Amino acid sequence: PHAGPVESKNEAAMSELVPEPRQKPVVPMKPMGINANLLGYIGIDTIIEQMRKKTMKTGFDFNIMVVGQSGLGKSTLVNTLFKSQVSRKSSGWNREEKIPKTVEIKAIGHVIEEGGVKMKLTVIDTPGFGDQINNENCWEPIEKYINEQYEKFLKEEVNIARKKRIPDTRVHCCLYFISPTGHSLRPLDLEFMKHLSKVVNIIPVIAKADTMTLEEKIEFKQRVRKELEVNGIEFYPQKEFDEDLEDKTENDKIRQESMPFAVVGSDKEYQVNGKRVLGRKTPWGIIEVENLTHCEFALLRDFVIRTHLQDLKEVTHNIHYETYRAKRLNDNGGLPPMTAETEENHESNL
Amino acid sequence: QQPAQFTNPETPGYVGFANLPNQVHRKSVKKGFEFTLMVVGESGLGKSTLINSLFLTDLYPERIIPGAAEKIERTVQIEASTVEIEERGVKLRLTVVDTPGYGDAINCRDCFKTIISYIDEQFERYLHDESGLNRRHIIDNRVHCCFYFISPFGHGLKPLDVEFMKAIHNKVNIVPVIAKADTLSLKERERLKKRILDEIEEHGIKIYHLPDAESDEDEDFKEQTRLLKASIPFCVVGSNQLIEAKGKKVRGRLYPWGVVEVENPEHNDFLKLRTMLITHMQDLQEVTQDLHYENFRSERLKRGSRKIEDEEVNKDQILLEKEAEVR
């Protein structure tokens, strides 16, 4: 929030609007420029600190979905991203398990904490996707799950007695794993992303990128970007939601150069040059996961967690959820969907 | 192989047929060998690169790789390329049968029909030629060996892999191969190999088994055969690019973290695969002839006799109908 110039005649009105009473400055208000602290100080900027403290206390939800054929390293990557055992891999999942005959949706929740901030992380895995002989419409269970979470949220929102904090199970981010064939996308990749980019934020990643040399990687990424563009697939960060020039410049660079991120995941540590690093050991060298000359894992991590986490949630809430809500209301003749409570009251009103 | 030393023809009682192997050898060298290798697997598993690496050639000079949108409409194609390779006077006429489109579609239900038809067609043609009048120049286009590529990115066999191999294991010698093996650490490789072998056994899939070394072979050969048998399925890396490593030029792949050498047995099983193919080319042809072809032939002849009867019945039927029409 920027502190703009304040007219003295508005000062009294403003203090009425401020919810928490604050000591009035001793010096009477004069029109202020940017250097507010020279003439008097309101303290609007402390709101940031207040929000931060509140977030720390309440913590926040983040729901990330991983989609891709079995064996592309989804579970390992998620564990690497959050430096914890948070994926299916950690909770009784056996590598020897058979591929399920249909797509299953498995959501696993964990609370992780860093620097006093608590995150309730839910990893939604989709085993069975793309593994069958006939994969027609295998994205349907996934689309259904995503819409179900929007529906759940909507029902809570239209309740008469609403919860203080509606539990947010909506999918904020969907990592789509592309097989590193080095050729092009597969038909299934196109179909999935075409359908789902309209309901959820999709971040395409190239899995097991240690299978490609530098040239192969650059060529493959270019080809994939072109294919996505030609087929009208808008992955996150979507161009139409860039808020200002600053966003656009930053996101353009990511969209046109970095994405899709070619990643390598690992939850094992090795000693390299006296440091312990996450990596993969091969007879011809150690692949360091967080080394930018080896792979782009660090870029993905910074993007999803350190810079765009909040934006992912906002786009989900303000765009995808609102789209769903509008459609539901339209289908319902402009009325909100019924919950058990509203149904009762509706009848009594009649 | 050294020509067998035969004893002096002047020795009494000497007949001279010990020279036969040399004659066969000479004739083979003159005639050359024919071998048809089929290559099956999803796009992007490293098939073409591996074939080019195995035979030190470029079998696909004008290759265009289609994008995903084009692949949606495509069905499985059969593309055969033939190349003549000569080494030390021995000629090999190698036909590589490629199957682009396999495993790419969203619905792969009909993936294998085209491939099975192709294999049966070659058997049919050979049967026809064999039963014909002029048998001097029968061309053998039967598929002697099928390299089936399993993805190194998965946890084992996929449903498609199992179904396909079960559908062709009685028609062709299957050699399962895992390419792009540089994506796996040594431990991961062992685990994957074991998993695949377990699943092959579990589903009753019959892959090509290397014959045990004969008792009269030398120890080295016996040991080599043992090693080969223990390494199946082979985990290989293909490349025809020359990289500078440790002061010499090797075929390999250059990564920021090191160089993967194609011909280094500690890096991958490429040399083993090549050895297996070359030393067992003859056996692969024999098994195709004696087992798969004979199976096809007996089935075909059993069916064929019934089919011919049906055809004759139909002819009579048609004649009767025509007569009725005329009347």
Side-chain angles (χ1 to χ4, degrees):
Chain A
H2 300 285
V6 178
E7 302 296 325
S8 14
K9 56 179 182 302
N10 282 336
E11 182 210 350
M14 262 202 69
S15 57
E16 276 168 37
L17 294 170
V18 169
E20 286 163 42
R22 205 180 296 112
Q23 263 192 320
K24 287 205 181 139
V26 174
V27 177
M29 290 296 191
K30 282 194 198 142
M32 286 186 224
I34 309 283
N35 293 328
N37 50 348
L38 290 180
L39 300 171
Y41 172 68
I42 299 181
I44 297 178
D45 56 343
T46 61
I47 290 182
I48 300 183
E49 183 60 31
Q50 295 169 37
M51 277 171 61
R52 208 178 71 79
K53 277 213 191 112
K54 204 138 196 234
T55 308
M56 272 177 67
K57 270 208 229 145
T58 50
F60 60 99
D61 296 335
F62 190 65
N63 308 320
I64 183 168
M65 178 182 262
V66 285
V67 182
Q69 286 181 307
S70 110
L72 284 182
K74 304 184 293 288
S75 304
T76 307
L77 186 70
V78 171
N79 285 351
T80 319
L81 265 177
F82 296 101
K83 290 231 170 91
S84 320
Q85 298 295 316
V86 289
S87 70
R88 201 168 45 122
K89 226 176 144 190
S90 51
S91 54
W93 170 71
N94 182 4
R95 185 187 299 276
E96 313 300 303
E97 250 175 47
K98 301 279 176 201
I99 291 176
K101 292 262 179 330
T102 52
V103 178
E104 295 177 353
I105 311 278
K106 291 204 170 128
I108 301 160
H110 289 267
V111 175
I112 53 184
E113 187 175 324
E114 190 184 63
V117 181
K118 276 205 202 59
M119 172 156 81
K120 181 165 172 292
L121 171 72
T122 305
V123 177
I124 302 138
D125 209 337
T126 53
F129 176 83
D131 289 326
Q132 317 306 328
I133 295 181
N134 181 357
N135 291 309
E136 266 167 11
N137 303 322
C138 67
W139 53 83
E140 275 174 8
I142 297 173
E143 198 174 342
K144 186 157 164 269
Y145 176 84
I146 293 174
N147 285 333
E148 272 169 8
Q149 309 318 304
Y150 290 150
E151 184 67 29
K152 236 189 254 179
F153 196 87
L154 182 59
K155 286 236 164 74
E156 284 295 338
E157 237 191 8
V158 306
N159 247 335
I160 292 176
R162 287 207 288 218
K163 294 203 183 108
K164 185 169 164 199
R165 234 184 108 232
I166 302 178
D168 191 357
T169 58
R170 299 170 298 185
V171 179
H172 301 124
C173 167
C174 173
L175 291 183
Y176 187 77
F177 285 67
I178 297 170
S179 185
T181 59
H183 287 192
S184 66
L185 288 175
R186 309 177 83 237
L188 180 60
D189 300 338
L190 271 188
E191 283 304 300
F192 177 86
M193 287 195 272
K194 261 199 208 155
H195 281 94
L196 280 268
S197 56
K198 304 196 182 95
V199 295
V200 73
N201 294 323
I202 295 191
I203 296 181
V205 267
I206 298 171
K208 297 202 169 176
D210 54 346
T211 211
M212 293 187 285
T213 61
L214 212 51
E215 296 94 38
E216 288 167 350
K217 222 188 287 185
I218 294 173
E219 257 185 62
F220 186 51
K221 282 171 67 158
Q222 263 172 0
R223 225 174 292 146
V224 170
R225 270 197 296 265
K226 185 115 197 292
E227 269 191 305
L228 291 173
E229 191 185 324
V230 161
N231 286 285
I233 293 169
E234 278 254 47
F235 52 84
Y236 178 87
Q238 300 93 331
K239 275 187 236 164
E240 45 179 334
F241 307 140
D242 285 337
E243 280 173 2
D244 51 34
L245 190 60
E246 196 187 323
D247 270 357
K248 187 174 180 321
T249 329
E250 189 191 338
N251 287 343
D252 268 346
K253 188 161 184 295
I254 296 171
R255 277 189 292 257
Q256 287 159 17
E257 287 172 26
S258 315
M259 286 180 85
F261 299 109
V263 296
V264 174
S266 170
D267 39 23
K268 295 203 173 66
E269 282 186 345
Y270 295 97
Q271 193 93 343
V272 173
N273 294 336
K275 290 194 299 161
R276 289 203 68 75
V277 290
L278 282 175
R280 288 173 58 69
K281 186 154 185 227
T282 65
W284 45 87
I286 294 184
I287 304 160
E288 298 164 50
V289 167
E290 284 169 311
N291 182 337
L292 279 172
T293 56
H294 287 193
C295 79
E296 295 164 3
F297 169 79
L299 290 181
L300 173 70
R301 179 203 50 210
D302 290 350
F303 180 67
V304 173
I305 299 178
R306 296 181 193 175
T307 58
H308 286 68
L309 191 69
Q310 184 59 21
D311 188 59
L312 278 164
K313 293 181 62 167
E314 279 179 11
V315 173
T316 306
H317 181 69
N318 297 333
I319 313 281
H320 296 302
Y321 170 68
E322 286 302 313
T323 309
Y324 178 83
R325 181 175 169 277
K327 185 170 180 301
R328 278 293 268 121
L329 294 183
N330 268 329
D331 289 345
N332 220 21
L335 296 169
M338 301 285 206
T339 58
E341 245 184 59
T342 55
E343 259 178 79
E344 274 174 43
N345 291 334
H346 186 73
E347 301 213 328
S348 62
N349 282 347
L350 282 174
Chain B
Q1 275 172 338
Q2 295 287 353
Q5 296 301 316
F6 51 93
T7 50
N8 195 326
E10 302 307 316
T11 316
Y14 173 73
V15 177
F17 61 78
N19 198 20
L20 190 60
N22 289 346
Q23 298 176 27
V24 173
H25 175 83
R26 234 194 326 251
K27 280 220 156 165
S28 309
V29 169
K30 271 219 271 180
K31 184 167 160 233
F33 294 94
E34 278 177 327
F35 193 79
T36 302
L37 171 67
M38 179 177 260
V39 171
V40 184
E42 285 176 10
S43 309
L45 288 183
K47 304 186 294 291
S48 311
T49 308
L50 183 66
I51 299 298
N52 285 343
S53 307
L54 272 176
F55 301 105
L56 289 172
T57 178
D58 186 4
L59 229 53
Y60 314 94
E62 280 150 28
R63 193 176 179 213
I64 305 169
I65 298 174
E70 290 130 317
K71 282 192 207 158
I72 289 180
E73 298 303 319
R74 215 161 63 139
T75 51
V76 179
Q77 312 288 317
I78 305 281
E79 284 172 8
S81 343
T82 306
V83 72
E84 299 226 346
I85 304 171
E86 185 171 329
E87 210 178 48
R88 297 199 202 158
V90 182
K91 287 203 243 324
L92 171 66
R93 199 167 156 274
L94 171 75
T95 303
V96 176
V97 179
D98 214 340
T99 53
Y102 174 84
D104 284 343
I106 296 181
N107 184 355
C108 292
R109 267 273 99 84
D110 295 331
C111 238
F112 10 121
K113 279 197 202 146
T114 319
I115 298 173
I116 294 177
S117 300
Y118 178 83
I119 297 174
D120 282 344
E121 265 164 41
Q122 307 317 305
F123 280 154
E124 184 74 45
R125 201 175 301 176
Y126 194 84
L127 179 60
H128 181 266
D129 289 350
E130 210 186 31
S131 330
L133 288 173
N134 186 351
R135 306 209 298 186
R136 272 194 109 208
H137 298 289
I138 299 181
I139 298 176
D140 186 3
N141 276 328
R142 296 172 298 183
V143 179
H144 301 117
C145 176
C146 172
F147 277 2
Y148 188 78
F149 282 72
I150 297 167
S151 172
F153 308 125
H155 291 304
L157 294 180
K158 295 206 180 108
L160 179 63
D161 300 336
V162 173
E163 290 307 307
F164 180 77
M165 287 199 275
K166 272 164 70 174
I168 65 160
H169 65 174
N170 283 324
K171 294 182 185 286
V172 76
N173 296 317
I174 301 179
V175 175
V177 178
I178 303 165
K180 295 199 174 182
D182 50 353
T183 211
L184 301 164
S185 68
L186 292 180
K187 233 206 287 180
E188 288 166 346
R189 255 184 240 180
E190 288 313 308
R191 199 166 38 201
L192 185 62
K193 281 190 191 187
K194 182 170 184 308
R195 181 89 193 265
I196 289 174
L197 288 174
D198 286 345
E199 287 176 331
I200 283 176
E201 195 183 314
E202 184 191 325
H203 289 104
I205 296 168
K206 295 177 228 162
I207 58 173
Y208 173 70
H209 282 296
L210 281 90
D212 287 321
E214 305 278 311
S215 46
D216 59 352
E217 301 278 3
D218 61 46
E219 270 310 307
D220 282 340
F221 188 77
K222 283 194 196 159
E223 180 60 27
Q224 182 192 73
T225 309
R226 258 197 296 270
L227 269 172
L228 286 182
K229 280 169 96 89
S231 305
I232 292 177
F234 298 113
C235 275
V236 297
V237 175
S239 171
N240 275 342
Q241 275 183 318
L242 289 171
I243 314 276
E244 182 98 25
K246 297 172 206 153
K248 51 187 176 104
K249 281 209 186 281
V250 289
R251 280 195 297 155
R253 288 171 62 72
L254 174 65
Y255 289 108
W257 47 86
V259 176
V260 180
E261 297 166 49
V262 168
E263 287 171 8
N264 183 336
E266 283 170 32
H267 286 191
N268 76 112
D269 297 334
F270 177 81
L271 286 180
K272 293 202 182 88
L273 177 64
R274 190 173 67 185
T275 306
M276 188 228 78
L277 184 62
I278 303 298
T279 54
H280 291 87
M281 226 174 233
Q282 182 79 355
D283 186 63
L284 284 161
Q285 282 177 328
E286 271 177 33
V287 175
T288 305
Q289 165 77 26
D290 298 341
L291 179 64
H292 301 299
Y293 173 67
E294 287 304 313
N295 266 342
F296 174 84
R297 187 174 168 278
S298 51
E299 279 297 302
R300 188 65 184 77
L301 293 180
K302 268 192 254 163
R303 259 188 309 131
S305 52
R306 267 181 275 134
K307 207 172 164 200
I308 290 170
E309 280 171 21
D310 287 345
E311 273 176 17
E312 288 181 349
V313 167
N314 282 341
K315 265 194 236 153
D316 290 341
Q317 188 107 33
I318 294 170
L319 279 171
L320 281 169
E321 283 174 61
K322 286 260 183 251
E323 279 183 350
E325 268 180 48
V326 167
R327 253 182 278 127

